[in-house]
Amino acid sequence: MSLVGGQNYDETADPIYLEETYPMLISPSGTELLIAEGENGICLPFMSQSTAACTLTLIEG
């Protein structure tokens, strides 16, 4: 995964690469995905640093 662009990204900067392992759990229905912080404590870009895990939900319709 790499960070290119965004609010804190300088256009002259090189991309920032994340190398991490993230535990994930998919619900039996397949509509929810639980993602925890990485094994080394690195969160994905859409997670806040104070969040240990987040749930993504697929909305059908």
Side-chain angles (χ1 to χ4, degrees):
M1 176 181 297
S2 65
L3 169 66
V4 179
Q7 186 175 16
N8 297 324
Y9 184 80
D10 184 352
E11 289 181 14
T12 60
D14 291 331
I16 299 170
Y17 295 94
L18 299 176
E19 193 168 314
E20 182 66 284
T21 300
Y22 296 93
M24 297 183 185
L25 179 65
I26 300 173
S27 67
S29 66
T31 59
E32 295 179 321
L33 173 64
L34 176 71
I35 304 174
E37 69 181 359
E39 291 181 351
N40 296 308
I42 299 173
C43 292
L44 290 167
F46 58 85
M47 298 170 68
S48 78
Q49 291 297 322
S50 62
T51 304
C54 71
T55 302
L56 303 177
T57 304
L58 176 64
I59 305 297
E60 296 181 22

